[in-house]
Amino acid sequence: DTGVSQDPRHKITKRGQNVTFRCDPISEHNRLYWYRQTLGQGPEFLTYFQNEAQLEKSRLLSDRFSAERPKGSFSTLEIQRTEQGDSAMYLCASSLAAGEAFFGQGTRLTVV
Amino acid sequence: AQKVTQAQTEISVVEKEDVTLDCVYETRDTTYYLFWYKQPPSGELVFLIRRNSFDEQNEISGRYSWNFQKSTSSFNFTITASQVVDSAVYFCALSFTGGFKTIFGAGTRLFVKA
């Protein structure tokens, strides 16, 4: 296992389309996080899973956003009816416990 | 309020210079964790250090050193003898016991010129 893997690395979509991103955490990590990073800013927390349970969602996560982690392994983040303001880097991270999180390389979304 | 402030947006130095990146945090919690991450152009966040609120000892790792001062709510990061490969965006971050949400500063972009 070489770390947290995210797919795709880049996604360009037209406004109004749905997109789905995948995150494969480090295999033994039970915690998984999604963050969003816009240009010139630090990552902002979106949501958190402990195993398959989604325990916290940020107010940033509008109704158009949904995340799942079936079976407590990989996770998906779906954005419905994308808007230009959704353009950002979406980062996934995983950890064993509170403390050091390992981040993936992110998925850069561009909504045109 | 829980907040991390990195007042320096960009810093430019010449190779071999020392450089200090500032980080000031706000929290009312007595137990918390502070982090520094490096984000190279490839995009992933690379963990550099984690420090808990009860450990104010300064730490040195090779050319990197960290100065944690609770009295001023600061957790500054110094790179000694900077190298071109140190060019990246550096983020300071704050987390809490049992916490799952890490609060990041806006980052400091470091340019190291040869």
Side-chain angles (χ1 to χ4, degrees):
Chain A
D1 194 316
T2 56
V4 178
S5 176
Q6 291 188 246
D7 183 70
R9 292 289 310 280
H10 303 274
K11 178 71 177 179
I12 300 174
T13 191
K14 291 184 179 179
R15 191 173 52 186
Q17 297 293 306
N18 299 343
V19 293
T20 300
F21 310 141
R22 177 178 170 125
C23 171
D24 286 274
I26 293 172
S27 56
E28 62 268 27
H29 286 183
N30 60 343
R31 295 187 178 202
L32 186 146
Y33 316 80
W34 284 98
Y35 285 81
R36 181 173 70 187
Q37 185 180 19
T38 52
L39 204 60
Q41 298 298 317
E44 296 172 294
F45 171 79
L46 291 179
T47 190
Y48 155 69
F49 290 86
Q50 181 151 317
N51 301 311
E52 66 276 10
Q54 188 174 19
L55 298 185
E56 182 70 16
K57 288 171 64 173
S58 163
R59 293 174 200 170
L60 294 174
L61 218 63
S62 75
D63 292 344
R64 297 183 297 106
F65 287 69
S66 63
E68 293 183 345
R69 193 184 182 197
K71 303 178 185 178
S73 55
F74 71 92
S75 176
T76 57
L77 178 68
E78 181 184 15
I79 309 174
Q80 295 182 328
R81 305 181 304 282
T82 51
E83 301 172 356
Q84 286 189 322
D86 297 331
S87 295
M89 173 81 85
Y90 290 84
L91 291 161
C92 177
S94 70
S95 72
L96 275 171
E100 180 185 348
F102 292 82
F103 283 81
Q105 291 185 299
T107 294
R108 184 170 294 284
L109 173 67
T110 303
V111 182
V112 297
Chain B
Q2 295 166 340
K3 188 179 174 183
V4 176
T5 301
Q6 295 180 255
Q8 303 149 308
T9 306
E10 287 186 3
I11 300 176
S12 184
V13 299
V14 177
E15 209 170 19
K16 297 184 185 176
E17 283 186 20
D18 299 346
V19 58
T20 295
L21 310 181
D22 297 333
C23 172
V24 173
Y25 62 92
E26 292 177 35
T27 179
R28 292 181 181 173
D29 287 50
T30 55
T31 304
Y32 51 88
Y33 300 91
L34 294 164
F35 301 81
W36 276 95
Y37 286 89
K38 175 181 180 180
Q39 188 173 43
S42 55
E44 80 274 22
L45 283 164
V46 177
F47 169 84
L48 295 178
I49 189 171
R50 172 193 184 209
R51 179 52 51 89
N52 75 54
S53 52
F54 296 108
D55 183 3
E56 285 193 75
Q57 281 194 339
N58 291 331
E59 181 155 341
I60 298 174
S61 176
R63 297 185 295 108
Y64 295 169
S65 62
W66 291 270
N67 184 346
F68 175 28
Q69 292 196 344
K70 285 178 78 169
S71 60
T72 55
S73 297
S74 65
F75 187 43
N76 296 339
F77 173 30
T78 298
I79 302 174
T80 303
S82 59
Q83 300 175 1
V84 172
V85 293
D86 295 327
S87 297
V89 181
Y90 290 86
F91 291 98
C92 181
L94 172 68
S95 183
F96 306 93
T97 302
F100 40 80
K101 180 172 75 171
T102 302
I103 299 166
F104 286 83
T108 297
R109 183 176 294 277
L110 175 65
F111 294 98
V112 181
K113 303 175 197 173

